[in-house]
Amino acid sequence: MSQSPFLPPVRTRPRFAATLTATALGVYLLIIIGATTSITDAAGACGTWPGCAAPTALSQTELAIAWGHRLAAVLVGLLLVGITVMAIFGDVTRRVTLALVASVALYAVQVGVGAMTALGGPQAIVPGLHLALGVSIFTLVILALAWDLEIATGSDDDAIDSSPEPIDPTASGTPRVVPEGGLERVKLTAFAYFKMMKPRLMWLLCLVAAAGMALAAGPDLSQSTILATLGGGVLAIGASGTFNHVLERDVDQQMSRTADRPLATDLIPVRNALLFGLFLTAASMSVFLTINLLAAALGFVAIVFYSVIYTLVLKPNTVQNTVLGGAAGALPALIGWAAVTNEIGLPGLALAALIFLWTPAHFYNLALAYQDDYARGGFPMLPVVRGETVTRKHILYYIAATLVGATGLVWLTDLGALYAATVVLFGGIFLWFAVDLHFEQTERAAFRAFHASNAFLGAVLIAILVDALVLAGV
């Protein structure tokens, strides 16, 4: 009988990964609680250390938060020490062990900093030091998790060496029958134009813009600003999608997931599609200009960036296409903020950064599921060029970066407990599915992680809307 790679009760590699994942989430929970404690000045309600008077009434919210932070710190500290001991005596690489040992050492320093803050107030330490230590510990634990999973489940040679066989356009069976005229032809053509606008992207990008508006205006957000911003946004997304269809029509014919697009099947003439894209661009600018010039300028930049810079320059030429292309999804956050304030503010930039960091963690799952298709189309996506192992590792890296970015919004805005709880809950689900993807390396698992990423961002954006528009000042 072979010896277990870890001490009981962990014993197996999946349990070690699960415990390490739980430790990372525990550390992140501390970061979020710590940020909330700082904002509500809850630390001032508990001026002794290590303990203080327990809350005796529901109205003592700040004292309850401070107590929750200290109790969580004890539990997470025990978990961190426990997983580090498991690593020292278990079957892990040296760098995994060193990362965890370093995280324990920093945790001890953070406890000391927390004690100084409790006894001497925030002025007793360098501003942001406590948060910086928490982020450093979280980063080390995530690195340990990613490195261990890379060795345990990865391969050194899983990139695609040659392009897969081209798809057979006749393999799908009966070819599309286009009605010659009448209502059926009109319905088919109308749906084709609608499909070119990429409607599946609209709900999430509109939520991003709405969150930007909510952060900027709070409960005072006007209905006219909402309607104009989201209306202009829908038109801009439609224009970007249409130009993307035009510019990628030849490549779309080579990929199974895009072979049925309207221009790839010659359902809509290229000239008509171009005119439609130009019409949507003009309509979008007209709507945005009813708000202010900055919102219109940012909307135009978004159209050009996705249609030209991403589609023609980044996507076919660099393995960093997904990372850099995240700017396209981040721009609606700035548009929403600018629609209210007529400027670009720090909270709007923080929201945009959150979307930018989330994009690779989200899209790399889709790239894993469709890697053969992207190789067939000649796109240098990360799993095609550097392999699945590197891609899965980078998903963990960008999830961690996304969660850190989400913490920044707590510091820069008045977002409270609902937002913090949503980030922790859905961030934990997202991270769990990303870890599971290392053990179940299937298309199905990649899609689960992909949908978890959508759920995370959708839930976080809705939490921002509720926190900023409904709960502000309550």
Side-chain angles (χ1 to χ4, degrees), residues 246-281:
V246 171
L247 296 170
E248 290 188 347
R249 62 189 184 278
D250 294 332
V251 178
D252 284 344
Q253 294 174 345
Q254 303 173 40
M255 301 170 60
S256 58
R257 66 182 288 261
T258 58
D260 64 341
R261 285 180 172 177
L263 273 78
T265 56
D266 297 322
L267 184 59
I268 293 178
V270 174
R271 182 194 63 180
N272 292 6
L274 278 172
L275 290 174
F276 183 60
L278 290 172
F279 166 76
L280 291 174
T281 301

PDB file of all heavy atoms in Angstrom, residues 246-281:
ATOM      1  N   VAL A 246     -17.619  41.655 -39.606  1.00  0.00           N
ATOM      2  CA  VAL A 246     -17.117  41.994 -40.947  1.00  0.00           C
ATOM      3  C   VAL A 246     -15.643  41.620 -41.074  1.00  0.00           C
ATOM      4  O   VAL A 246     -15.224  40.982 -42.052  1.00  0.00           O
ATOM      5  CB  VAL A 246     -17.319  43.489 -41.230  1.00  0.00           C
ATOM      6  CG1 VAL A 246     -16.608  43.895 -42.526  1.00  0.00           C
ATOM      7  CG2 VAL A 246     -18.809  43.824 -41.335  1.00  0.00           C
ATOM      8  N   LEU A 247     -14.843  42.007 -40.099  1.00  0.00           N
ATOM      9  CA  LEU A 247     -13.395  41.840 -40.202  1.00  0.00           C
ATOM     10  C   LEU A 247     -12.945  40.394 -40.001  1.00  0.00           C
ATOM     11  O   LEU A 247     -11.867  40.014 -40.469  1.00  0.00           O
ATOM     12  CB  LEU A 247     -12.703  42.744 -39.174  1.00  0.00           C
ATOM     13  CG  LEU A 247     -12.900  44.243 -39.403  1.00  0.00           C
ATOM     14  CD1 LEU A 247     -12.388  45.044 -38.212  1.00  0.00           C
ATOM     15  CD2 LEU A 247     -12.198  44.686 -40.681  1.00  0.00           C
ATOM     16  N   GLU A 248     -13.762  39.571 -39.336  1.00  0.00           N
ATOM     17  CA  GLU A 248     -13.368  38.182 -39.082  1.00  0.00           C
ATOM     18  C   GLU A 248     -14.185  37.177 -39.893  1.00  0.00           C
ATOM     19  O   GLU A 248     -14.157  35.982 -39.611  1.00  0.00           O
ATOM     20  CB  GLU A 248     -13.507  37.858 -37.588  1.00  0.00           C
ATOM     21  CG  GLU A 248     -12.481  38.557 -36.715  1.00  0.00           C
ATOM     22  CD  GLU A 248     -12.512  38.062 -35.271  1.00  0.00           C
ATOM     23  OE1 GLU A 248     -13.474  37.361 -34.892  1.00  0.00           O
ATOM     24  OE2 GLU A 248     -11.568  38.379 -34.528  1.00  0.00           O
ATOM     25  N   ARG A 249     -14.854  37.647 -40.936  1.00  0.00           N
ATOM     26  CA  ARG A 249     -15.765  36.752 -41.660  1.00  0.00           C
ATOM     27  C   ARG A 249     -15.041  35.568 -42.298  1.00  0.00           C
ATOM     28  O   ARG A 249     -15.570  34.448 -42.332  1.00  0.00           O
ATOM     29  CB  ARG A 249     -16.549  37.540 -42.719  1.00  0.00           C
ATOM     30  CG  ARG A 249     -15.700  38.178 -43.810  1.00  0.00           C
ATOM     31  CD  ARG A 249     -16.535  39.104 -44.685  1.00  0.00           C
ATOM     32  NE  ARG A 249     -15.786  39.673 -45.799  1.00  0.00           N
ATOM     33  CZ  ARG A 249     -14.986  40.729 -45.694  1.00  0.00           C
ATOM     34  NH1 ARG A 249     -14.842  41.336 -44.505  1.00  0.00           N
ATOM     35  NH2 ARG A 249     -14.342  41.188 -46.750  1.00  0.00           N
ATOM     36  N   ASP A 250     -13.810  35.774 -42.799  1.00  0.00           N
ATOM     37  CA  ASP A 250     -13.079  34.666 -43.430  1.00  0.00           C
ATOM     38  C   ASP A 250     -12.609  33.654 -42.380  1.00  0.00           C
ATOM     39  O   ASP A 250     -12.691  32.439 -42.595  1.00  0.00           O
ATOM     40  CB  ASP A 250     -11.875  35.201 -44.221  1.00  0.00           C
ATOM     41  CG  ASP A 250     -12.301  36.049 -45.413  1.00  0.00           C
ATOM     42  OD1 ASP A 250     -13.413  35.797 -45.939  1.00  0.00           O
ATOM     43  OD2 ASP A 250     -11.545  36.952 -45.801  1.00  0.00           O
ATOM     44  N   VAL A 251     -12.112  34.154 -41.250  1.00  0.00           N
ATOM     45  CA  VAL A 251     -11.663  33.259 -40.184  1.00  0.00           C
ATOM     46  C   VAL A 251     -12.851  32.535 -39.561  1.00  0.00           C
ATOM     47  O   VAL A 251     -12.745  31.356 -39.182  1.00  0.00           O
ATOM     48  CB  VAL A 251     -10.899  34.051 -39.106  1.00  0.00           C
ATOM     49  CG1 VAL A 251     -10.479  33.143 -37.961  1.00  0.00           C
ATOM     50  CG2 VAL A 251      -9.682  34.729 -39.711  1.00  0.00           C
ATOM     51  N   ASP A 252     -13.994  33.205 -39.466  1.00  0.00           N
ATOM     52  CA  ASP A 252     -15.185  32.579 -38.887  1.00  0.00           C
ATOM     53  C   ASP A 252     -15.581  31.311 -39.631  1.00  0.00           C
ATOM     54  O   ASP A 252     -16.086  30.356 -39.029  1.00  0.00           O
ATOM     55  CB  ASP A 252     -16.362  33.563 -38.898  1.00  0.00           C
ATOM     56  CG  ASP A 252     -16.235  34.626 -37.812  1.00  0.00           C
ATOM     57  OD1 ASP A 252     -15.430  34.423 -36.880  1.00  0.00           O
ATOM     58  OD2 ASP A 252     -16.927  35.661 -37.906  1.00  0.00           O
ATOM     59  N   GLN A 253     -15.329  31.284 -40.930  1.00  0.00           N
ATOM     60  CA  GLN A 253     -15.678  30.108 -41.723  1.00  0.00           C
ATOM     61  C   GLN A 253     -14.825  28.886 -41.358  1.00  0.00           C
ATOM     62  O   GLN A 253     -15.215  27.750 -41.627  1.00  0.00           O
ATOM     63  CB  GLN A 253     -15.513  30.424 -43.207  1.00  0.00           C
ATOM     64  CG  GLN A 253     -16.483  31.467 -43.723  1.00  0.00           C
ATOM     65  CD  GLN A 253     -16.206  31.865 -45.162  1.00  0.00           C
ATOM     66  OE1 GLN A 253     -15.133  31.588 -45.704  1.00  0.00           O
ATOM     67  NE2 GLN A 253     -17.166  32.514 -45.806  1.00  0.00           N
ATOM     68  N   GLN A 254     -13.670  29.124 -40.723  1.00  0.00           N
ATOM     69  CA  GLN A 254     -12.767  28.027 -40.385  1.00  0.00           C
ATOM     70  C   GLN A 254     -13.004  27.480 -38.974  1.00  0.00           C
ATOM     71  O   GLN A 254     -12.409  26.465 -38.591  1.00  0.00           O
ATOM     72  CB  GLN A 254     -11.316  28.509 -40.488  1.00  0.00           C
ATOM     73  CG  GLN A 254     -10.936  29.076 -41.847  1.00  0.00           C
ATOM     74  CD  GLN A 254      -9.550  29.696 -41.827  1.00  0.00           C
ATOM     75  OE1 GLN A 254      -8.636  29.159 -41.203  1.00  0.00           O
ATOM     76  NE2 GLN A 254      -9.386  30.825 -42.508  1.00  0.00           N
ATOM     77  N   MET A 255     -13.836  28.144 -38.192  1.00  0.00           N
ATOM     78  CA  MET A 255     -14.048  27.768 -36.797  1.00  0.00           C
ATOM     79  C   MET A 255     -15.477  27.270 -36.596  1.00  0.00           C
ATOM     80  O   MET A 255     -16.424  27.924 -37.027  1.00  0.00           O
ATOM     81  CB  MET A 255     -13.763  28.961 -35.878  1.00  0.00           C
ATOM     82  CG  MET A 255     -12.346  29.494 -36.006  1.00  0.00           C
ATOM     83  SD  MET A 255     -12.093  31.072 -35.133  1.00  0.00           S
ATOM     84  CE  MET A 255     -12.480  30.624 -33.431  1.00  0.00           C
ATOM     85  N   SER A 256     -15.619  26.138 -35.913  1.00  0.00           N
ATOM     86  CA  SER A 256     -16.937  25.526 -35.765  1.00  0.00           C
ATOM     87  C   SER A 256     -17.900  26.408 -34.980  1.00  0.00           C
ATOM     88  O   SER A 256     -19.091  26.454 -35.276  1.00  0.00           O
ATOM     89  CB  SER A 256     -16.808  24.158 -35.100  1.00  0.00           C
ATOM     90  OG  SER A 256     -16.183  24.272 -33.833  1.00  0.00           O
ATOM     91  N   ARG A 257     -17.408  27.134 -33.965  1.00  0.00           N
ATOM     92  CA  ARG A 257     -18.295  27.942 -33.129  1.00  0.00           C
ATOM     93  C   ARG A 257     -18.758  29.215 -33.815  1.00  0.00           C
ATOM     94  O   ARG A 257     -19.699  29.872 -33.347  1.00  0.00           O
ATOM     95  CB  ARG A 257     -17.630  28.285 -31.797  1.00  0.00           C
ATOM     96  CG  ARG A 257     -16.430  29.184 -31.893  1.00  0.00           C
ATOM     97  CD  ARG A 257     -15.809  29.416 -30.517  1.00  0.00           C
ATOM     98  NE  ARG A 257     -16.631  30.274 -29.680  1.00  0.00           N
ATOM     99  CZ  ARG A 257     -16.396  31.583 -29.511  1.00  0.00           C
ATOM    100  NH1 ARG A 257     -15.376  32.165 -30.138  1.00  0.00           N
ATOM    101  NH2 ARG A 257     -17.160  32.300 -28.726  1.00  0.00           N
ATOM    102  N   THR A 258     -18.127  29.612 -34.920  1.00  0.00           N
ATOM    103  CA  THR A 258     -18.496  30.853 -35.607  1.00  0.00           C
ATOM    104  C   THR A 258     -18.880  30.635 -37.072  1.00  0.00           C
ATOM    105  O   THR A 258     -19.171  31.601 -37.779  1.00  0.00           O
ATOM    106  CB  THR A 258     -17.318  31.852 -35.568  1.00  0.00           C
ATOM    107  OG1 THR A 258     -16.159  31.256 -36.177  1.00  0.00           O
ATOM    108  CG2 THR A 258     -16.990  32.243 -34.128  1.00  0.00           C
ATOM    109  N   ALA A 259     -18.874  29.378 -37.518  1.00  0.00           N
ATOM    110  CA  ALA A 259     -19.101  29.116 -38.940  1.00  0.00           C
ATOM    111  C   ALA A 259     -20.506  29.479 -39.397  1.00  0.00           C
ATOM    112  O   ALA A 259     -20.739  29.642 -40.608  1.00  0.00           O
ATOM    113  CB  ALA A 259     -18.824  27.643 -39.252  1.00  0.00           C
ATOM    114  N   ASP A 260     -21.449  29.616 -38.458  1.00  0.00           N
ATOM    115  CA  ASP A 260     -22.828  29.934 -38.841  1.00  0.00           C
ATOM    116  C   ASP A 260     -23.148  31.412 -38.687  1.00  0.00           C
ATOM    117  O   ASP A 260     -24.319  31.811 -38.749  1.00  0.00           O
ATOM    118  CB  ASP A 260     -23.798  29.106 -38.003  1.00  0.00           C
ATOM    119  CG  ASP A 260     -23.730  29.450 -36.520  1.00  0.00           C
ATOM    120  OD1 ASP A 260     -22.715  30.041 -36.096  1.00  0.00           O
ATOM    121  OD2 ASP A 260     -24.693  29.125 -35.787  1.00  0.00           O
ATOM    122  N   ARG A 261     -22.132  32.247 -38.494  1.00  0.00           N
ATOM    123  CA  ARG A 261     -22.392  33.674 -38.375  1.00  0.00           C
ATOM    124  C   ARG A 261     -22.896  34.243 -39.701  1.00  0.00           C
ATOM    125  O   ARG A 261     -22.579  33.715 -40.774  1.00  0.00           O
ATOM    126  CB  ARG A 261     -21.126  34.414 -37.936  1.00  0.00           C
ATOM    127  CG  ARG A 261     -20.808  34.214 -36.461  1.00  0.00           C
ATOM    128  CD  ARG A 261     -19.555  34.946 -36.035  1.00  0.00           C
ATOM    129  NE  ARG A 261     -19.375  34.904 -34.572  1.00  0.00           N
ATOM    130  CZ  ARG A 261     -18.346  35.407 -33.923  1.00  0.00           C
ATOM    131  NH1 ARG A 261     -17.364  36.010 -34.605  1.00  0.00           N
ATOM    132  NH2 ARG A 261     -18.271  35.331 -32.613  1.00  0.00           N
ATOM    133  N   PRO A 262     -23.681  35.331 -39.655  1.00  0.00           N
ATOM    134  CA  PRO A 262     -24.345  35.831 -40.865  1.00  0.00           C
ATOM    135  C   PRO A 262     -23.408  36.140 -42.033  1.00  0.00           C
ATOM    136  O   PRO A 262     -23.732  35.836 -43.187  1.00  0.00           O
ATOM    137  CB  PRO A 262     -25.041  37.106 -40.371  1.00  0.00           C
ATOM    138  CG  PRO A 262     -25.282  36.852 -38.926  1.00  0.00           C
ATOM    139  CD  PRO A 262     -24.099  36.068 -38.452  1.00  0.00           C
ATOM    140  N   LEU A 263     -22.244  36.738 -41.759  1.00  0.00           N
ATOM    141  CA  LEU A 263     -21.340  37.061 -42.859  1.00  0.00           C
ATOM    142  C   LEU A 263     -20.523  35.848 -43.298  1.00  0.00           C
ATOM    143  O   LEU A 263     -20.131  35.742 -44.463  1.00  0.00           O
ATOM    144  CB  LEU A 263     -20.406  38.213 -42.488  1.00  0.00           C
ATOM    145  CG  LEU A 263     -20.982  39.603 -42.768  1.00  0.00           C
ATOM    146  CD1 LEU A 263     -21.974  40.003 -41.686  1.00  0.00           C
ATOM    147  CD2 LEU A 263     -19.887  40.642 -42.890  1.00  0.00           C
ATOM    148  N   ALA A 264     -20.270  34.925 -42.371  1.00  0.00           N
ATOM    149  CA  ALA A 264     -19.545  33.705 -42.737  1.00  0.00           C
ATOM    150  C   ALA A 264     -20.378  32.837 -43.663  1.00  0.00           C
ATOM    151  O   ALA A 264     -19.836  32.077 -44.475  1.00  0.00           O
ATOM    152  CB  ALA A 264     -19.176  32.923 -41.485  1.00  0.00           C
ATOM    153  N   THR A 265     -21.709  32.938 -43.574  1.00  0.00           N
ATOM    154  CA  THR A 265     -22.602  32.157 -44.426  1.00  0.00           C
ATOM    155  C   THR A 265     -23.168  32.976 -45.581  1.00  0.00           C
ATOM    156  O   THR A 265     -24.064  32.496 -46.289  1.00  0.00           O
ATOM    157  CB  THR A 265     -23.770  31.604 -43.583  1.00  0.00           C
ATOM    158  OG1 THR A 265     -24.439  32.695 -42.933  1.00  0.00           O
ATOM    159  CG2 THR A 265     -23.258  30.633 -42.526  1.00  0.00           C
ATOM    160  N   ASP A 266     -22.660  34.203 -45.743  1.00  0.00           N
ATOM    161  CA  ASP A 266     -23.110  35.087 -46.827  1.00  0.00           C
ATOM    162  C   ASP A 266     -24.596  35.408 -46.743  1.00  0.00           C
ATOM    163  O   ASP A 266     -25.232  35.725 -47.756  1.00  0.00           O
ATOM    164  CB  ASP A 266     -22.795  34.470 -48.208  1.00  0.00           C
ATOM    165  CG  ASP A 266     -21.309  34.304 -48.439  1.00  0.00           C
ATOM    166  OD1 ASP A 266     -20.549  35.199 -48.021  1.00  0.00           O
ATOM    167  OD2 ASP A 266     -20.890  33.279 -49.013  1.00  0.00           O
ATOM    168  N   LEU A 267     -25.140  35.339 -45.541  1.00  0.00           N
ATOM    169  CA  LEU A 267     -26.548  35.683 -45.377  1.00  0.00           C
ATOM    170  C   LEU A 267     -26.760  37.180 -45.529  1.00  0.00           C
ATOM    171  O   LEU A 267     -27.805  37.637 -46.021  1.00  0.00           O
ATOM    172  CB  LEU A 267     -27.039  35.212 -44.004  1.00  0.00           C
ATOM    173  CG  LEU A 267     -28.518  35.411 -43.688  1.00  0.00           C
ATOM    174  CD1 LEU A 267     -29.393  34.670 -44.703  1.00  0.00           C
ATOM    175  CD2 LEU A 267     -28.838  34.942 -42.272  1.00  0.00           C
ATOM    176  N   ILE A 268     -25.769  37.969 -45.096  1.00  0.00           N
ATOM    177  CA  ILE A 268     -25.831  39.427 -45.216  1.00  0.00           C
ATOM    178  C   ILE A 268     -24.617  39.889 -46.014  1.00  0.00           C
ATOM    179  O   ILE A 268     -23.479  39.493 -45.711  1.00  0.00           O
ATOM    180  CB  ILE A 268     -25.831  40.082 -43.826  1.00  0.00           C
ATOM    181  CG1 ILE A 268     -27.125  39.746 -43.087  1.00  0.00           C
ATOM    182  CG2 ILE A 268     -25.664  41.604 -43.930  1.00  0.00           C
ATOM    183  CD1 ILE A 268     -27.198  40.311 -41.694  1.00  0.00           C
ATOM    184  N   PRO A 269     -24.792  40.739 -47.031  1.00  0.00           N
ATOM    185  CA  PRO A 269     -23.651  41.257 -47.794  1.00  0.00           C
ATOM    186  C   PRO A 269     -22.733  42.115 -46.920  1.00  0.00           C
ATOM    187  O   PRO A 269     -23.191  42.787 -45.991  1.00  0.00           O
ATOM    188  CB  PRO A 269     -24.318  42.109 -48.884  1.00  0.00           C
ATOM    189  CG  PRO A 269     -25.721  41.619 -48.969  1.00  0.00           C
ATOM    190  CD  PRO A 269     -26.086  41.174 -47.586  1.00  0.00           C
ATOM    191  N   VAL A 270     -21.444  42.098 -47.213  1.00  0.00           N
ATOM    192  CA  VAL A 270     -20.463  42.852 -46.439  1.00  0.00           C
ATOM    193  C   VAL A 270     -20.789  44.345 -46.453  1.00  0.00           C
ATOM    194  O   VAL A 270     -20.705  45.020 -45.422  1.00  0.00           O
ATOM    195  CB  VAL A 270     -19.046  42.604 -46.977  1.00  0.00           C
ATOM    196  CG1 VAL A 270     -18.033  43.498 -46.264  1.00  0.00           C
ATOM    197  CG2 VAL A 270     -18.662  41.140 -46.804  1.00  0.00           C
ATOM    198  N   ARG A 271     -21.174  44.859 -47.606  1.00  0.00           N
ATOM    199  CA  ARG A 271     -21.485  46.286 -47.712  1.00  0.00           C
ATOM    200  C   ARG A 271     -22.626  46.665 -46.781  1.00  0.00           C
ATOM    201  O   ARG A 271     -22.573  47.675 -46.077  1.00  0.00           O
ATOM    202  CB  ARG A 271     -21.867  46.629 -49.156  1.00  0.00           C
ATOM    203  CG  ARG A 271     -22.166  48.115 -49.391  1.00  0.00           C
ATOM    204  CD  ARG A 271     -22.849  48.350 -50.723  1.00  0.00           C
ATOM    205  NE  ARG A 271     -24.149  47.691 -50.763  1.00  0.00           N
ATOM    206  CZ  ARG A 271     -24.981  47.723 -51.815  1.00  0.00           C
ATOM    207  NH1 ARG A 271     -24.613  48.353 -52.920  1.00  0.00           N
ATOM    208  NH2 ARG A 271     -26.142  47.104 -51.779  1.00  0.00           N
ATOM    209  N   ASN A 272     -23.657  45.848 -46.742  1.00  0.00           N
ATOM    210  CA  ASN A 272     -24.797  46.129 -45.862  1.00  0.00           C
ATOM    211  C   ASN A 272     -24.391  46.090 -44.394  1.00  0.00           C
ATOM    212  O   ASN A 272     -24.854  46.901 -43.579  1.00  0.00           O
ATOM    213  CB  ASN A 272     -25.910  45.120 -46.116  1.00  0.00           C
ATOM    214  CG  ASN A 272     -26.548  45.287 -47.485  1.00  0.00           C
ATOM    215  OD1 ASN A 272     -26.083  46.096 -48.283  1.00  0.00           O
ATOM    216  ND2 ASN A 272     -27.599  44.536 -47.765  1.00  0.00           N
ATOM    217  N   ALA A 273     -23.534  45.121 -44.055  1.00  0.00           N
ATOM    218  CA  ALA A 273     -23.079  45.019 -42.671  1.00  0.00           C
ATOM    219  C   ALA A 273     -22.256  46.241 -42.280  1.00  0.00           C
ATOM    220  O   ALA A 273     -22.390  46.763 -41.167  1.00  0.00           O
ATOM    221  CB  ALA A 273     -22.261  43.748 -42.493  1.00  0.00           C
ATOM    222  N   LEU A 274     -21.389  46.701 -43.170  1.00  0.00           N
ATOM    223  CA  LEU A 274     -20.596  47.898 -42.889  1.00  0.00           C
ATOM    224  C   LEU A 274     -21.494  49.116 -42.681  1.00  0.00           C
ATOM    225  O   LEU A 274     -21.284  49.906 -41.752  1.00  0.00           O
ATOM    226  CB  LEU A 274     -19.619  48.161 -44.031  1.00  0.00           C
ATOM    227  CG  LEU A 274     -18.307  47.365 -44.017  1.00  0.00           C
ATOM    228  CD1 LEU A 274     -17.539  47.597 -45.311  1.00  0.00           C
ATOM    229  CD2 LEU A 274     -17.456  47.761 -42.812  1.00  0.00           C
ATOM    230  N   LEU A 275     -22.478  49.273 -43.555  1.00  0.00           N
ATOM    231  CA  LEU A 275     -23.403  50.399 -43.414  1.00  0.00           C
ATOM    232  C   LEU A 275     -24.181  50.307 -42.101  1.00  0.00           C
ATOM    233  O   LEU A 275     -24.417  51.325 -41.440  1.00  0.00           O
ATOM    234  CB  LEU A 275     -24.365  50.430 -44.604  1.00  0.00           C
ATOM    235  CG  LEU A 275     -23.740  50.814 -45.956  1.00  0.00           C
ATOM    236  CD1 LEU A 275     -24.760  50.660 -47.083  1.00  0.00           C
ATOM    237  CD2 LEU A 275     -23.209  52.238 -45.914  1.00  0.00           C
ATOM    238  N   PHE A 276     -24.552  49.097 -41.731  1.00  0.00           N
ATOM    239  CA  PHE A 276     -25.259  48.898 -40.469  1.00  0.00           C
ATOM    240  C   PHE A 276     -24.375  49.272 -39.281  1.00  0.00           C
ATOM    241  O   PHE A 276     -24.819  49.944 -38.349  1.00  0.00           O
ATOM    242  CB  PHE A 276     -25.709  47.435 -40.370  1.00  0.00           C
ATOM    243  CG  PHE A 276     -26.510  47.126 -39.142  1.00  0.00           C
ATOM    244  CD1 PHE A 276     -27.712  47.769 -38.891  1.00  0.00           C
ATOM    245  CD2 PHE A 276     -26.066  46.161 -38.237  1.00  0.00           C
ATOM    246  CE1 PHE A 276     -28.466  47.471 -37.762  1.00  0.00           C
ATOM    247  CE2 PHE A 276     -26.811  45.864 -37.109  1.00  0.00           C
ATOM    248  CZ  PHE A 276     -28.009  46.514 -36.863  1.00  0.00           C
ATOM    249  N   GLY A 277     -23.101  48.861 -39.334  1.00  0.00           N
ATOM    250  CA  GLY A 277     -22.165  49.218 -38.274  1.00  0.00           C
ATOM    251  C   GLY A 277     -21.958  50.715 -38.170  1.00  0.00           C
ATOM    252  O   GLY A 277     -21.905  51.276 -37.064  1.00  0.00           O
ATOM    253  N   LEU A 278     -21.845  51.385 -39.306  1.00  0.00           N
ATOM    254  CA  LEU A 278     -21.678  52.843 -39.308  1.00  0.00           C
ATOM    255  C   LEU A 278     -22.933  53.534 -38.767  1.00  0.00           C
ATOM    256  O   LEU A 278     -22.844  54.528 -38.031  1.00  0.00           O
ATOM    257  CB  LEU A 278     -21.371  53.327 -40.720  1.00  0.00           C
ATOM    258  CG  LEU A 278     -19.985  52.941 -41.265  1.00  0.00           C
ATOM    259  CD1 LEU A 278     -19.874  53.306 -42.748  1.00  0.00           C
ATOM    260  CD2 LEU A 278     -18.883  53.617 -40.466  1.00  0.00           C
ATOM    261  N   PHE A 279     -24.097  53.003 -39.126  1.00  0.00           N
ATOM    262  CA  PHE A 279     -25.349  53.569 -38.616  1.00  0.00           C
ATOM    263  C   PHE A 279     -25.417  53.441 -37.091  1.00  0.00           C
ATOM    264  O   PHE A 279     -25.779  54.391 -36.382  1.00  0.00           O
ATOM    265  CB  PHE A 279     -26.543  52.868 -39.260  1.00  0.00           C
ATOM    266  CG  PHE A 279     -27.850  53.148 -38.565  1.00  0.00           C
ATOM    267  CD1 PHE A 279     -28.495  54.367 -38.735  1.00  0.00           C
ATOM    268  CD2 PHE A 279     -28.420  52.198 -37.714  1.00  0.00           C
ATOM    269  CE1 PHE A 279     -29.687  54.638 -38.071  1.00  0.00           C
ATOM    270  CE2 PHE A 279     -29.604  52.455 -37.059  1.00  0.00           C
ATOM    271  CZ  PHE A 279     -30.241  53.674 -37.236  1.00  0.00           C
ATOM    272  N   LEU A 280     -25.067  52.261 -36.576  1.00  0.00           N
ATOM    273  CA  LEU A 280     -25.091  52.058 -35.130  1.00  0.00           C
ATOM    274  C   LEU A 280     -24.094  52.974 -34.424  1.00  0.00           C
ATOM    275  O   LEU A 280     -24.371  53.496 -33.334  1.00  0.00           O
ATOM    276  CB  LEU A 280     -24.780  50.596 -34.796  1.00  0.00           C
ATOM    277  CG  LEU A 280     -25.847  49.562 -35.190  1.00  0.00           C
ATOM    278  CD1 LEU A 280     -25.330  48.157 -34.932  1.00  0.00           C
ATOM    279  CD2 LEU A 280     -27.138  49.801 -34.419  1.00  0.00           C
ATOM    280  N   THR A 281     -22.915  53.174 -35.043  1.00  0.00           N
ATOM    281  CA  THR A 281     -21.916  54.076 -34.463  1.00  0.00           C
ATOM    282  C   THR A 281     -22.455  55.502 -34.381  1.00  0.00           C
ATOM    283  O   THR A 281     -22.346  56.164 -33.333  1.00  0.00           O
ATOM    284  CB  THR A 281     -20.628  54.059 -35.304  1.00  0.00           C
ATOM    285  OG1 THR A 281     -20.114  52.718 -35.358  1.00  0.00           O
ATOM    286  CG2 THR A 281     -19.573  54.969 -34.709  1.00  0.00           C
TER     287      THR A 281
END
